[in-house]
Amino acid sequence: MSFLRLKKLWFIPIVALLFTAFQYADEDFGRRITEQLQKFRAVYPQEKAYLHLDKPYYTLGDTLWFKGYLVDGALHQSDSASQVLYVDLIEQRTGKNVAQRRVRLDGGVGYGDITLAAPLPYGAYTIRAYTNWMRNFSEDYFFEKDIYIFDNEIHPEPVSNEVLDVQFFPEGGQLLSGISSRLAFKAVNGNGLGADVNGFIFDQNKDTIVSFKSEHLGLGRIQFTPEKGKKYTAYVRKKGGQLQQFELPQVSDNGYALLVDNSSSPSAMRILVYNNAPDGKERNVHVVGHSRGIVAFVAKGKVSSKSLRLNLNKKDLPEGITHLTLFDDQNRPVCERLVFIDHNSRLQVKVNMDKKSYKPREKTEMEIMVTDTSGNPVEANLSVAVTDAGQIAQQPFSNDLVSYLLLTSDLKGFVEQPSYYFDQTKTERKLHMDYLMMTQGWSRFTWQDVMRDSLPAPKRYVEQGITLAGQVKRNNRAVSEKVMLSIFLYSDSVSTMLAQETNEMGFFEIHNMIFTDSLSARLQGMNKKGNQNLSFLINLFEPPKTTIVKVPFYPVTVEAEQLKAYLKRAEEYQEIVRKVRANREKLLNEVTIKGKKEVERDTRKLYSNADATIKVTQQMASSAFSVLDMLAGRVAGVQVTGQGMNASVSIRGNQGEPQFVLDGMPVEKDLVTSLNVNDIESIDVLKGASAAIYGSRGGNGVIAIYTKRGNVNYDYSQEVVPGVLVTSIAGYNTPRVFYMPRYDVTRQEDARPDFRSTVFWAPMLRTGKDGKVKVSYFGSDAVAPMDVRANVLSSDGRVGAVRYEYSVQ
């Protein structure tokens, strides 16, 4: 699988040296650094995924709408090679993956939805996005976003641990005795969020060295000169809290320091290098700067006890994070520092409305215009969400496409309110950004990995479609020769026959299949001797394991009255949906049957008639992983969430799961989901009074499964023969269309109240050559401000985002 589209060269001119004791790096070292980084990017090109969600929190029964963006990690161009994006919804309390979507990407973009139906529990969830290629690297590279799913009640926020955690980060990596040093710090509370603190530093003699306080979300910086042989302790407290003690990093008597001034001048950045070696000799050093793995400059100089200074023109550095590394005279990395270069060259996104304010249910027309910094129109892909601000509190300075690609995707750990650092109305944002650069670490690679002579091949491949892979075995042992396979792929709309040969160990792979929902596959194998006594082991997709994190406990901020209004409107909507479903079921139950063929009663059944019966066919079984998959969407009032072994089911909105019965005997759900779907003959569903024969166990309904083997009339001649396997392959999920009412015509369903929290969702918009795109939709019954959020990506990697508000009166 080729990555040619990712291997684009990005040449940045060597920065101008304004005034410096540095010189251009010696040719050998500069060439080696550049070549190693290029080789590393060629073997391990990075991808970045981002999800734009319609809102930050939801209720049970709601729908989560998302737009997926995938770009290459260096240039942020949207032609990344992968064309399958995996989206997981993970319950934070248990780490359980409760829903997964396979999204087909076209030009680096795709969209989808997740229905948040019962029996999902309320609470904190994480939605994440990644590709198969991204699984070669740490899960730190996955996109992750915390959301909250409410039920119809307001529950108290979990009580957080009040213990304060403060970490101190010497600039460049270490404190040097006798060198004026800057010490950044980050203070967080029990929820993992920034805490405003103040304090002071003592030496071992209890002498006060310096006092300090945080400036933004627990971030701050201290400057002092540590002395040789001394130890330092910080005493810190939150407002109204108790003093807590934290030891500062140990002071080094021998080493290097790398200090950067990126705030004093808007056009230049100054780098200072110190060395306090006991012999006082000059030593050769190199400073290397790279942006997302692409070399920006390499410079060399000699440093002794006096500082060595390098001034750089910021205009020659790319926008985003530049990673600075100091290499000593042995070409070992000894100091690192991150800086953020902000040219404000992002796409300009403007929202124009046809009116200043609107009436409820009035048609709304919106124009979005995208230009570059010179005002030239830009063709770009964008997604737009409009939410009722009376119900939905957008989170303060939450991540958008700009802050994610340029900032948080290249940093370790959680970054609070990332969009704050791009808000030009915040006068201190650049200084606070520098604090962030000193306290968050670079996450993409280490120099130790880059400088290796040989790089191991990645284990996972680039997916440009759905893959069927597995192994042929004989008597549960690996075969010792190649096996010819005939593979018949079929669904309701397609059928095709393939011939495939395994390798000597029996492994086979079919790549780049494009289909939605699911595809049935019939595999038959035969070795050269005509022996069909073979079995198949199919490699089912296993999502990456999840590490359960305890913070943040409550990942949304919303006022009580606003939340109350949202839950009230959501409950009203769910009640309308329940009534509509009940009316549909009532109509079905009132159908008059004029004639009925008498059939012999199945002795396994305690009841006379079921409310619904599914006769399992071979085609139905081949497209399902478990019994519950065959129920999904086939019986009114039965809701199935998830897939396969992780599926959950409820009848008529009951909170609990129904009683499961197998061939007349009550059993646990785990036994039912482990059954071979090809052994199932039929499934009965009992609701309400029909389930009363099972007593209290049937209070949530009954699902009765009957197997072919349990039937006295079962024909054993129909057993699956050796060497043949019928299975199902999960394909791309088919995204639903966001429902938008039309109030310019009279319809019966429009008489009900309309208090949608998401008023408008358009994930796949594109501006024309004039840089404009127009949309129209009808508002809801809400009299409240409407919040507009849009993310924009051009094909050449330029990004933009906008937040806008208009009123409905």
Side-chain angles (χ1 to χ4, degrees):
M1 195 67 61
S2 174
F3 250 111
L4 291 178
R5 284 182 290 174
L6 284 175
K7 297 179 183 177
K8 294 186 177 180
L9 298 180
W10 180 22
F11 292 103
I12 301 176
I14 296 295
V15 293
L17 305 182
L18 300 181
F19 175 77
T20 177
F22 279 91
Q23 301 173 0
Y24 292 117
D26 59 273
E27 187 175 354
D28 289 343
F29 183 78
R31 182 189 299 116
R32 182 164 183 259
I33 286 288
T34 303
E35 289 177 350
Q36 288 295 116
L37 279 171
Q38 288 178 347
K39 183 174 73 171
F40 190 84
R41 287 182 55 238
V43 178
Y44 304 129
Q46 299 289 299
E47 290 180 324
K48 294 181 180 180
Y50 176 80
L51 295 182
H52 177 191
L53 308 187
D54 63 313
K55 54 194 175 189
Y57 52 86
Y58 301 83
T59 60
L60 292 176
D62 207 345
T63 298
L64 183 156
W65 304 93
F66 64 83
K67 162 73 171 287
Y69 295 86
L70 184 69
V71 300
D72 78 270
L75 303 180
H76 296 161
Q77 293 181 338
S78 58
D79 63 349
S80 192
S82 294
Q83 295 179 17
V84 184
L85 181 68
Y86 296 93
V87 177
D88 296 337
L89 183 64
I90 300 162
E91 185 188 2
Q92 289 186 7
R93 182 178 59 87
T94 62
K96 182 180 179 181
N97 191 341
V98 298
Q100 184 181 84
R101 298 290 182 267
R102 287 176 174 86
V103 180
R104 183 178 181 182
L105 299 176
D106 184 7
V109 293
Y111 66 106
D113 61 273
I114 300 174
T115 301
L116 307 174
L120 285 179
Y122 76 88
Y125 287 77
T126 296
I127 187 168
R128 69 180 179 184
Y130 55 92
T131 65
N132 189 55
W133 176 259
M134 292 168 66
R135 296 181 69 182
N136 286 304
F137 316 105
S138 169
E139 292 180 16
D140 292 337
Y141 306 148
F142 294 0
F143 170 85
E144 290 190 350
K145 180 179 176 63
D146 293 329
I147 63 172
Y148 203 88
I149 300 177
F150 294 94
D151 58 6
N152 296 322
E153 299 180 8
I154 298 179
H155 299 274
E157 295 184 23
V159 179
S160 64
N161 188 345
E162 291 301 322
V163 175
L164 182 68
D165 180 39
V166 185
Q167 293 180 295
F168 295 89
F169 303 87
E171 185 171 13
Q174 61 182 337
L175 291 174
L176 287 184
S177 60
I179 303 296
S180 180
S181 303
R182 290 186 294 196
L183 190 67
F185 64 88
K186 181 178 182 179
V188 297
N189 58 25
N191 282 338
L193 302 177
D196 290 332
V197 297
N198 60 74
F200 46 87
I201 294 177
F202 276 173
D203 62 14
Q204 72 265 33
N205 299 321
K206 302 298 182 183
D207 292 330
T208 302
I209 305 302
V210 65
S211 61
F212 61 89
K213 64 177 181 179
S214 61
E215 299 182 35
H216 174 69
L217 299 177
L219 298 174
R221 189 169 64 188
I222 308 163
Q223 184 150 359
F224 75 108
T225 303
E227 297 182 21
K228 184 175 182 178
K230 288 194 173 182
K231 296 182 180 180
Y232 298 92
T233 304
Y235 291 85
V236 190
R237 63 182 167 196
K238 294 189 294 185
K239 184 178 180 180
Q242 300 292 322
L243 280 174
Q244 296 186 42
Q245 179 178 331
F246 300 91
E247 298 298 326
L248 265 59
Q250 186 175 355
V251 178
S252 298
D253 297 329
N254 184 10
Y256 294 88
L258 178 67
L259 278 61
V260 178
D261 180 3
N262 191 34
S263 305
S264 300
S265 170
S267 60
M269 177 173 63
R270 185 175 63 173
I271 299 175
L272 298 175
V273 178
Y274 293 91
N275 175 241
N276 63 351
D279 57 17
K281 292 182 179 180
E282 288 187 336
R283 285 174 168 80
N284 292 319
V285 293
H286 291 87
V287 177
V288 176
H290 74 83
S291 180
R292 300 185 290 274
I294 300 177
V295 174
F297 70 90
V298 180
K300 75 171 183 178
K302 295 181 181 293
V303 63
S304 60
S305 57
K306 296 181 179 180
S307 67
L308 188 62
R309 186 173 68 175
L310 168 64
N311 286 355
L312 303 176
N313 274 325
K314 293 183 183 179
K315 67 179 182 179
D316 294 322
L317 298 174
E319 188 165 42
I321 294 176
T322 294
H323 184 274
L324 304 175
T325 305
L326 176 68
F327 290 83
D328 65 10
D329 54 347
Q330 303 297 316
N331 290 339
R332 298 172 301 188
V334 291
C335 294
E336 293 189 318
R337 173 73 149 88
L338 302 184
V339 294
F340 191 88
I341 304 300
D342 189 355
H343 297 311
N344 193 27
S345 61
R346 299 172 286 280
L347 294 177
Q348 306 300 303
V349 188
K350 186 177 181 180
V351 177
N352 298 312
M353 311 294 293
D354 63 327
K355 299 174 64 174
K356 292 184 178 179
S357 63
Y358 298 84
K359 296 178 181 179
R361 297 198 176 193
E362 185 177 0
K363 186 175 183 180
T364 305
E365 294 186 349
M366 177 192 303
E367 178 187 81
I368 299 177
M369 184 171 184
V370 181
T371 62
D372 59 19
T373 53
S374 300
N376 301 313
V378 176
E379 293 185 69
N381 197 292
L382 67 153
S383 52
V384 179
V386 180
T387 54
D388 177 0
Q391 299 183 59
I392 301 299
Q394 294 290 348
Q395 300 306 285
F397 301 107
S398 59
N399 236 340
D400 56 28
L401 189 58
V402 171
S403 60
Y404 183 76
L405 292 185
L406 294 179
L407 182 64
T408 58
S409 60
D410 289 324
L411 295 178
K412 288 182 180 178
F414 173 69
V415 178
E416 187 177 356
Q417 299 186 11
S419 292
Y420 162 85
Y421 303 101
F422 298 88
D423 189 338
Q424 296 186 55
T425 65
K426 305 301 180 183
T427 57
E428 298 295 315
R429 66 185 179 93
K430 290 188 177 182
L431 180 61
H432 297 158
M433 173 74 87
D434 204 45
Y435 297 167
L436 184 71
M437 294 295 100
M438 295 175 65
T439 56
Q440 304 282 148
W442 171 262
S443 67
R444 287 286 162 179
F445 60 79
T446 65
W447 283 111
Q448 182 180 1
D449 294 334
V450 171
M451 302 304 287
R452 281 187 286 182
D453 292 332
S454 61
L455 300 173
K459 295 181 179 180
R460 298 183 182 272
Y461 49 83
V462 174
E463 285 185 322
Q464 296 184 320
I466 306 300
T467 299
L468 171 62
Q471 184 181 16
V472 178
K473 292 190 173 185
R474 183 169 55 247
N475 299 325
N476 292 325
R477 296 180 181 179
V479 297
S480 57
E481 59 183 359
K482 295 180 179 180
V483 176
M484 287 301 302
L485 301 178
S486 62
I487 303 173
F488 180 53
L489 304 172
Y490 59 96
S491 66
D492 293 337
S493 58
V494 65
S495 64
T496 185
M497 179 71 75
L498 302 174
Q500 179 81 10
E501 187 177 54
T502 71
N503 65 12
E504 288 79 2
M505 297 295 293
F507 290 99
F508 65 92
E509 292 181 345
I510 302 174
H511 297 285
N512 303 337
M513 295 187 293
I514 307 296
F515 61 94
T516 57
D517 296 326
S518 63
L519 192 67
S520 298
R522 184 182 186 275
L523 291 81
Q524 183 170 2
M526 182 179 296
N527 61 14
K528 294 180 180 180
K529 298 179 180 179
N531 188 349
Q532 292 183 316
N533 189 21
L534 303 171
S535 60
F536 299 89
L537 180 64
I538 301 299
N539 297 339
L540 299 177
F541 181 85
E542 294 185 5
K545 294 183 179 180
T546 304
T547 302
I548 300 177
V549 293
K550 296 182 179 180
V551 293
F553 293 99
Y554 203 72
V556 294
T557 302
V558 54
E559 294 180 358
E561 290 301 317
Q562 191 174 22
L563 177 59
K564 184 178 180 181
Y566 171 57
L567 297 182
K568 179 176 181 294
R569 298 304 186 191
E571 171 61 19
E572 290 172 351
Y573 176 76
Q574 295 298 326
E575 182 60 29
I576 290 173
V577 172
R578 282 192 288 268
K579 289 181 178 179
V580 171
R581 289 175 178 169
N583 289 336
R584 289 175 179 170
E585 291 178 10
K586 184 176 181 181
L587 289 173
L588 288 174
N589 291 334
E590 290 177 351
V591 174
T592 301
I593 306 298
K594 294 183 178 181
K596 184 178 180 181
K597 182 179 179 181
E598 185 173 346
V599 295
E600 184 178 351
R601 183 176 179 274
D602 192 331
T603 58
R604 295 173 292 179
K605 299 181 180 181
L606 299 178
Y607 49 89
S608 298
N609 295 303
D611 292 294
T613 297
I614 297 175
K615 295 293 185 180
V616 178
T617 64
Q618 181 180 359
Q619 185 174 359
M620 187 187 304
S622 64
S623 62
F625 290 103
S626 75
V627 171
L628 300 186
D629 291 342
M630 293 188 285
L631 278 172
R634 287 191 167 94
V635 179
V638 176
Q639 177 69 47
V640 178
T641 304
Q643 192 177 45
M645 300 292 289
N646 294 323
S648 300
V649 62
S650 63
I651 297 178
R652 286 181 173 174
N654 290 318
Q655 294 295 321
E657 290 197 329
Q659 172 65 53
F660 292 90
V661 176
L662 178 62
D663 287 335
M665 297 295 294
V667 295
E668 297 295 329
K669 187 182 77 171
D670 290 343
L671 176 59
V672 170
T673 56
S674 66
L675 293 173
N676 186 334
V677 292
N678 294 295
D679 287 341
I680 307 302
E681 181 181 70
S682 63
I683 306 171
D684 284 350
V685 177
L686 283 67
K687 314 172 187 176
S690 301
I693 194 170
Y694 289 91
S696 60
R697 293 178 301 181
N700 293 321
V702 175
I703 294 177
I705 297 98
Y706 298 95
T707 65
K708 298 172 184 176
R709 296 171 183 273
N711 190 333
V712 295
N713 297 318
Y714 177 65
D715 184 2
Y716 283 87
S717 66
Q718 300 299 316
E719 288 273 9
V720 176
V721 298
V724 176
L725 173 69
V726 177
T727 187
S728 179
I729 314 167
Y732 291 111
N733 291 95
T734 303
R736 292 185 298 161
V737 177
F738 181 78
Y739 171 74
M740 292 186 291
R742 294 199 53 162
Y743 294 131
D744 55 348
V745 294
T746 301
R747 298 184 302 182
Q748 180 179 358
E749 59 264 31
D750 294 336
R752 59 178 182 256
D754 178 8
F755 287 97
R756 292 164 286 149
S757 55
T758 300
V759 178
F760 179 67
W761 169 248
M764 298 296 283
L765 298 176
R766 187 169 184 84
T767 59
K769 293 183 178 180
D770 60 355
K772 298 178 181 178
V773 63
K774 294 182 179 180
V775 297
S776 62
Y777 54 93
F778 289 88
S780 65
D781 289 333
V783 178
M786 296 292 150
D787 187 276
V788 180
R789 302 288 170 112
N791 288 291
V792 181
L793 175 67
S794 67
S795 59
D796 59 0
R798 289 176 291 173
V799 293
V802 68
R803 305 175 184 192
Y804 182 83
E805 190 175 277
Y806 67 91
S807 63
V808 177
Q809 300 176 349

